[in-house]
Amino acid sequence: MPGTRPEAPPAAGTPSHDGTPLIDAEEDLTPAPPLATARRRLRAHPALLLLGIVLASLNMRAALAGVSPLLGEIGDHFGLNATASSLVTVIPLVFMGLGSYVAPKLAGRWGTETVLFGALLLLCAGIVVRVAPPLVALFVGCALVGGSIALLNVLMPGLIKRDFPDRAAPMTALYSTAMILGATVSAATSVPLENALGGWQGSLVAWGLLAAVAACVWLPQVVIARRGARHGVAAATPKHTVETGPKLGRSPLAWQVTLFMGSQSLIAYVTIAWLPTVFTDHGMDKAQAGLVFAFSTLVQMAGSFVVPVLAGRMRGQRLLAACVALLMALACGGLLVAPVAGAWVWAALLGVGQGGALGLALTMMVLRAGDPHTAARLSGMSQTWGYLLAAVGPLALGAVHQVTDGWTLPIVLLLVVCAGLVLLGLGAGRDRRIGA
């Protein structure tokens, strides 16, 4: 096993509860003095901030996870084949990638609080539009959901780092736990809600209420923050007038980190799109398939907690990258030989591997950067291109499933992605710094 670090790496972020440093989307922004004063007033009401963070975090995956057990019903309702049905997962991913790029720019213009409030309103609107009768509304709603989640993804960690600098660890624990809890409850209750509310539309739209409540909690914070922003004046100014630091697009190491992020995201979102369908196609009851999927989501907390802690204490992370990829490969192999009989085991292996892979990807964004500015830029690059790469997975495997009328070849292709993840991890996990 690689040795421990003889000294701390450059301060590229504040460590979270699990060792994952928080990358601040506002790292390169200086707030206008009136806005900084308004934010100090906000910090005088930590209970309101705390409630807002918890409610926003609960929304960050719920609208996506609740779709998976119902994908068959959605496809049947609109007469979609497997390839077209996968767009329900693919479209949010595309807009998650695009939204990751624009989030810091919006925060600089309007302020983080206002953008988060707008994201929650957008999420509520997307959830509602998604169940409207026309097929085009389904896809438009998916785009709105993906774009709003991207804004929450990018801005929430930085807000925690900014407003709770002395309690970043417990606050990040709360944030990440609430995010996974929202996804788990959504996946577990999607079929029961469908039965109780008379169809998949009721099940999906129910989560719009949670987004609306979260937006209401953020509204007072927006009002307070906007009192500190002059009309027509940007909320913050860039610290750098031109791009400084290493050219990430020319760095092989930056691309290895980005592709590692994208590949593990591809596996994760293929699972979100198709894992319950794999189980039901092999004879499992739909409600049970939803519970197994929810269990896989829940146990991601184990991997996301342990792996970053180990990664921060090791000189290189190659072994960890190989281990998380192996866990996911074992799960995929199990789905080939005994998809129903070993479903809970494969779900556990897949969940721990996915949680660990995501935690490792986020950690490497900081460990491979020599300073906070580079870490923030690498995070933007990795999330933008990573989510766009991940969008290929559900669509491609859905098309292969449709052509072959089975899951053998799609799962074999996932095994190939796991092998590629090992190779990318061997590169991204080296004890190197971008530009060094």
Side-chain angles (χ1 to χ4, degrees):
M1 177 179 291
T4 56
R5 292 181 181 275
E7 58 184 27
T14 301
S16 74
H17 75 292
D18 56 9
T20 307
L22 298 177
I23 298 175
D24 192 349
E26 294 189 75
E27 184 67 52
D28 292 327
L29 297 175
T30 300
L35 179 58
T37 301
R39 284 173 172 170
R40 284 193 290 272
R41 291 198 298 269
L42 275 172
R43 286 193 287 271
H45 306 282
L48 185 62
L49 276 172
L50 179 65
L51 181 60
I53 288 171
V54 170
L55 288 173
S57 301
L58 287 170
N59 278 283
M60 287 174 65
R61 293 294 181 271
L64 296 177
V67 170
S68 185
L70 306 175
L71 196 58
E73 283 74 9
I74 296 173
D76 291 342
H77 178 84
F78 289 106
L80 303 176
N81 57 32
T83 305
S85 294
S86 67
L87 292 174
V88 177
T89 303
V90 169
I91 291 174
L93 283 174
V94 171
F95 281 84
M96 284 170 70
L98 298 176
S100 298
Y101 176 76
V102 303
K105 302 179 187 300
L106 293 176
R109 178 64 182 87
W110 302 104
T112 296
E113 297 83 3
T114 302
V115 176
L116 284 174
F117 172 71
L120 289 166
L121 288 181
L122 192 67
L123 178 61
C124 183
I127 291 171
V128 174
V129 170
R130 199 168 52 173
V131 302
L135 176 60
V136 67
L138 174 67
F139 297 141
V140 170
C142 289
L144 295 177
V145 166
S148 59
I149 290 175
L151 300 179
L152 296 171
N153 276 348
V154 174
L155 297 180
M156 188 64 70
L159 180 136
I160 291 172
K161 178 183 175 182
R162 186 195 73 200
D163 289 343
F164 297 90
D166 299 326
R167 289 173 285 174
M171 286 303 301
T172 305
L174 185 64
Y175 148 73
S176 58
T177 300
M179 183 171 62
I180 294 175
L181 180 62
T184 302
V185 173
S186 176
T189 60
S190 60
V191 175
L193 282 174
E194 178 191 24
N195 296 332
L197 299 176
W200 62 269
Q201 294 93 338
S203 180
L204 293 188
V205 82
W207 293 98
L209 179 62
L210 180 62
V213 170
C216 290
V217 172
W218 275 97
L219 181 58
Q221 303 178 59
V222 172
V223 172
I224 295 173
R226 292 307 295 172
R227 287 175 184 168
R230 294 172 55 191
H231 180 70
V233 177
T237 56
K239 295 178 182 177
H240 303 85
T241 55
V242 296
E243 185 181 281
T244 59
K247 302 294 184 182
L248 298 185
R250 300 177 183 177
S251 167
L253 183 55
W255 279 110
Q256 287 165 346
V257 173
T258 296
L259 293 175
F260 186 90
M261 174 67 179
S263 297
Q264 67 83 26
S265 295
L266 185 151
I267 297 171
Y269 284 97
V270 165
T271 302
I272 289 174
W274 294 118
L275 185 61
T277 305
V278 172
F279 291 139
T280 56
D281 283 356
H282 286 89
M284 184 181 288
D285 175 73
K286 184 174 66 173
Q288 184 181 359
L291 288 175
V292 175
F293 172 63
F295 171 70
S296 181
T297 302
L298 182 64
V299 298
Q300 288 181 21
M301 283 192 288
S304 66
F305 186 92
V306 173
V307 171
V309 171
L310 296 176
R313 296 175 180 175
M314 298 167 67
R315 187 179 298 274
Q317 294 76 37
R318 291 176 157 189
L319 179 60
L320 285 176
C323 287
V324 295
L326 178 61
L327 287 175
M328 290 187 286
L330 288 173
C332 292
L335 290 173
L336 283 175
V337 298
V340 174
W344 292 95
V345 176
W346 316 140
L349 292 174
L350 195 58
V352 174
Q354 287 176 346
L358 176 59
L360 183 58
L362 296 174
T363 303
M364 289 195 297
M365 291 177 196
V366 174
L367 296 180
R368 300 291 84 88
D371 57 80
H373 174 59
T374 302
R377 291 174 55 222
L378 180 59
S379 173
M381 174 180 173
S382 298
Q383 292 195 60
T384 298
W385 291 106
Y387 284 126
L388 292 176
L389 172 61
V392 175
L395 184 65
L397 267 67
V400 173
H401 166 62
Q402 180 182 331
V403 170
T404 62
D405 195 26
W407 288 107
T408 299
L409 184 55
I411 294 174
V412 169
L413 291 176
L414 275 186
L415 286 169
V416 173
V417 176
C418 290
L421 197 63
V422 173
L423 297 178
L424 291 168
L426 293 178
R430 293 172 296 162
D431 186 23
R432 299 285 188 274
R433 300 285 183 274
I434 294 171

